[in-house]
Each structure stands twice: as C-alpha cells, then as structure tokens.
Amino acid sequence: MPSEEGKIDSEKEGDRGGKSEVVPVFQGDTQDVYDEPTVDPVYQKKAQILNDALQDIGMGRYQASFLFPISTVPLLWDNLWPTVTDLILTPVVYEFNAQGPYLKIAQNIGLLVGSAFWGVASDVWGRRWTFNLTLFITGVFSAAAGASPNYITLCALTAVWSIGVGGNLPVDSAVFLEFVPASHQYLLTVLSIWWAFGQLLGTMVAWPLMSYLSCSGPPSPCPASSNEGWRYFLYAMGALMMVLWFLRFFIFRLYESPKYLMSRGKDEEAVKVVHKVAAYNGKTSSLTVEHLKSVEGLSTALPERTTTIDISVISVLRRKLAVFDSHHVRPLFATRKLAYSTILLIILWGKLLHSTFGCLETRGADFGDSSLYKTYRGEIILSVIGAPGALLAGYCVELPSLGRRGTLSIFTILTGVFLFASTTARKSEALMGWNCAYSFTSNIMYGVLYAISPELFPTNARGTGDAIVDSSNRIFGVLAPVIALYTNLNTSVPIYISSAIFLVAGLISLLLPYDPRGKASL
C-alpha cells in the first residue's frame, strides 16, 4: 500500500509562497444532524470537534484536486456496469442461445454480496483499502469475462465483477462525507450527475461495437466469429477500470478518514490527517490530540442502549474474522429514533424495483421502434436528460422549505406519476417524452436518497448502514429477473405496481425523523 505521506506531503511545504493561514479549530461551531444523544457521547463529542476542524479548514485544493476526482469514478462506474450488462444481453443471448434473465440474476447476486460485504469491511479495515480493491476486482474480472467460452462462465464472471461494483456506493459515500466540511455536504447529491455520465459512456462506446460487430440474431445462426462486439466492449470497459484503478491507487493517494481513525481510537493519526488536509489547502489547523482527549471523561451511558468504541486487540480480531458481527450494526439502532430512521431508509431503498427499467424497454417494440439505432439513440437522450437533475437536486436540498426530506418526497412522487403516465403513450415520441421526464425526476430521487442515507449514519457504522440499505435494494434486484422468467412484462401491470410503490415511498420519506440540511454528519 502506498505511504500515507504520498504526494500531498511533498506539497505541505513549498510552492505556496508566504505563510500559511492559521485557522482556530473551534471557529466552525457545526450543528449535529441528531437532536438527541444517539451514539456514545465520547465518540459524538470527538466527531463534533473533527467536524468543527474540517469546517474551519473549508473547501480547498485537497477536496477539488483529490476528493472530487476519486469520488466521481465510483458513481460513474456504479451506473456504467448495469448498463454494460443490459447492452451485451441481446448479442449474448443470440450467441449462446440462453435465457437472458439468468445473466441479470448473476449480476444482482454479485451486487448484493458486494454491497453487504464491502460496506461492513470499510468499517473494519478502513476506507482506503476497500475503496481501491472494489475497482480492481471490477476491472480484472470484467476483462476476463470478455473471453468467456460459454454462458455459465460469463454469468459466473459477471457475478464476481459485480461484487466489486456492489461495494462501490457504500464505501464512496462514506469517504466523501468524512472529508468535506458540513457546509458542503450537499455536494454528495450533486455528484449523482456522474450516474448519468456512466450510462452515457457505456452507450457511446457500445454503439459502434454492437452495430458493426454483432450478428443479426434469429433465425440466422450467430457464431462467435460474427458476434465479437460484446467481447470487445467488455475488454474496453475492463481496461478502463484498470486505468482508473492505477490512477486512484498510485496518483490520487487518499488519506484514511479522520473520523474512522478516531472511531478506532487512533486520535493521533486522525489529527495528523486533518493537519495534512489543512496544509494542502494552504491553512494550518490548531486541532490537537488534547482537544480529543479532553472529552474522554464523559459518561458513555445512553438513554436506552450503550454503544462504546472497543479498540482492544481481541475485539479487533473478532471483527476481522466476523465482519457481520452486531458490533457494527448496533449503533444504527442505538435509540428508538435512530432505529426508526434506519428502518425507514431500508424500506425506501428496498422499493427501488429494477423491473421498472425492463418494463419501459419492452414497450418500444410495441411501436415498431426496436431498431438498434433507435435503441441507442434513446439511451443517449435519456442519459443527457438525467444529468441536469443532479444539479437541481443539489439546489433543492439546501432550500429551507424543502431540505432533503421534501426534495426526496416530491421527486419520488413525480417519478411514480411519470412512470404511470408512460402507459398512456400510443406513439414512440410520446413514450420517449414520458421516459425523459421519468429519467429527470428519478435521477434527482436517487441522488437525494444516495446522499441522505450516509448523512444519517454515524461514522463508526456508516459503511455498515450503507451496506444494509443498499442490500435491501439489491435483494429486489435479484428478485426482479426471477419474476421476469415467469411473468409477462409486455402488459402494463408491472408499471402500475412500480408506480404505486414510488408514490407510497414518496409519502414514507416525509416520515424520516432527521433532515441533515445545514447540519454535520457524525
């Protein structure tokens, strides 16, 4: 593993000219997202001190030059790889004469395993290792999948590369939140713009390859020699992931999260990281280890449950051998209000049924518009339409009248409305119009949900919390293609059901007990 000192340390002193600006550590005076004692008071107070220190340092070169570039890659690849599987599905089915839903089942099983494992692993082994390993696994096994001799091998390798993809969101959101000041946490919502770019990238690379290097399908035979487009596509995407992994591992050297270090009892290392970030931003933080040590005399009793920071050797070893130990889950349910919040987030993530997209795709053929050109053109249009939604989401979540809850509720309901309205389309142009509206509002909805979830979890269980809520979504992702094997998706019934789920979820989001707008995550 590269040294933490890395490239940033070499710039700690040097080409800045003049003296660094000294920043008092408690000037920020941030407000916590929780309005009651929810975690161990020692941990909570230390997190407040670190939040104040980061707020005083503010946004600067470290966030712009390092955090933003490495945080956009996981968001881009999170939507890229489901798009990759969708785009290769038809030529793969033609070549291997197989049932397409099994490839989707393999993908979603991998996503489920990845989201469950890597989220917890980031709380056990830290953010840096998991942050880099997920990208490496995706690149290696997706490239290998391009050489698959049969459908079973392809499904197996798809499941393995999806394990890497599945760990992306739980880890990435934690890394981003734990390095930005509280005043700029809303930028996590704006980063969802890269979801749209991920879909756009995959579609633009696949279009020429699939157009000129794919067989026409039944009734004509489809030998591998005339159907190599999907293989070259996987080689290209796998190579891209390896290049991005190299850049992120060797060039953009990420520090370990100071809050994570503090939660593991490594106060000295946490303070060092804060000072390194401040130095790279041209400032000097006055945070000291004594600031963190001064609060260790506080009682660790909670109103209903007790959550302590256990850093003993035995405890660390136990967590490494049993990553799903309740030690990481318990803080998410430390009080009745926090447990209520966690359960609602699990429900909200679980309602994102993957069958929706399949239903929309099958309707194009009803109007005679299933040509390759119109399919790819439509994908590009929907990708471009979805991108501005992230910018609007970043604006809306900071409005006092809306906040995270109001924005999530409104655009979840609108997503259901537009999805329902798509069943009224009688021409391809009308269907594309409704799909564009759906793409715009759903990108806002997913962006807000993606941002608000880690904001409501404490750092010592943030990866685990993200893993739990994301896993609830992945479970439905596994069920959707299974249902597709035995259900007629050519009717409007699945769309009616999905629309109703979005409408109900929009109302449920108003019940969230916390709104992080203007407050700092712990």
Side-chain angles (χ1 to χ4, degrees), residues 247-515:
L247 292 175
R248 196 163 78 173
F249 193 80
F250 293 104
I251 306 301
F252 296 100
R253 296 182 177 181
L254 180 72
Y255 293 138
E256 185 57 88
S257 160
K259 287 184 184 176
Y260 168 78
L261 292 171
M262 177 273 293
S263 71
R264 295 296 300 272
K266 300 178 180 179
D267 291 350
E268 293 81 1
E269 294 182 38
V271 171
K272 287 180 181 178
V273 170
V274 172
H275 280 279
K276 291 174 183 178
V277 173
Y280 197 77
N281 285 358
K283 298 181 179 180
T284 302
S285 173
S286 58
L287 176 68
T288 64
V289 177
E290 286 68 29
H291 285 126
L292 298 179
K293 297 296 184 183
S294 65
V295 301
E296 291 186 349
L298 297 176
S299 170
T300 58
L302 284 174
E304 297 182 17
R305 297 174 177 84
T306 300
T307 303
T308 60
I309 305 174
D310 188 352
I311 59 172
S312 66
V313 175
I314 294 178
S315 179
V316 171
L317 180 61
R318 185 185 299 117
R319 289 197 295 269
K320 286 182 179 291
L321 296 176
V323 295
F324 292 101
D325 187 86
S326 61
H327 172 88
H328 300 288
V329 178
R330 207 175 302 128
L332 303 173
F333 301 89
T335 66
R336 183 173 300 176
K337 192 172 183 179
L338 186 56
Y340 177 63
S341 174
T342 301
I343 292 171
L344 287 182
L345 288 173
I346 293 173
I347 294 173
L348 288 173
W349 277 87
K351 57 83 186 171
L352 302 176
L353 293 175
H354 290 238
S355 58
T356 300
F357 300 98
C359 296
L360 292 177
E361 290 169 1
T362 58
R363 299 207 65 221
D366 297 340
F367 306 122
D369 291 338
S370 57
S371 68
L372 195 64
Y373 169 77
K374 290 187 176 181
T375 298
Y376 279 96
R377 183 196 65 178
E379 287 287 336
I380 290 177
I381 291 174
L382 294 177
S383 300
V384 173
I385 289 295
L391 302 179
L392 179 61
Y395 172 76
C396 291
V397 295
E398 287 297 292
L399 293 176
S401 57
L402 291 178
R404 272 61 159 174
R405 279 182 303 204
T407 303
L408 178 61
S409 175
I410 290 173
F411 286 98
T412 302
I413 291 173
L414 286 176
T415 298
V417 169
F418 290 134
L419 181 61
F420 178 82
S422 69
T423 62
T424 66
R426 297 296 177 263
K427 294 183 178 180
S428 61
E429 291 80 6
L431 180 61
M432 175 56 70
W434 290 120
N435 285 356
C436 286
Y438 169 86
S439 178
F440 181 79
T441 57
S442 64
N443 204 55
I444 297 175
M445 175 192 70
Y446 286 120
V448 178
L449 186 60
Y450 162 72
I452 193 175
S453 300
E455 285 186 297
L456 296 183
F457 297 138
T459 298
N460 58 342
R462 179 166 290 136
T464 301
D466 285 342
I468 290 174
V469 296
D470 193 39
S471 295
S472 69
N473 178 37
R474 304 304 187 186
I475 289 172
F476 282 102
V478 174
L479 294 177
V482 174
I483 295 172
L485 285 169
Y486 305 100
T487 306
N488 181 12
L489 295 181
N490 293 319
T491 69
S492 296
V493 173
I495 296 182
Y496 294 149
I497 295 174
S498 295
S499 301
I501 291 174
F502 281 120
L503 295 175
V504 172
L507 298 176
I508 291 176
S509 61
L510 292 174
L511 301 178
L512 287 170
Y514 306 110
D515 193 319

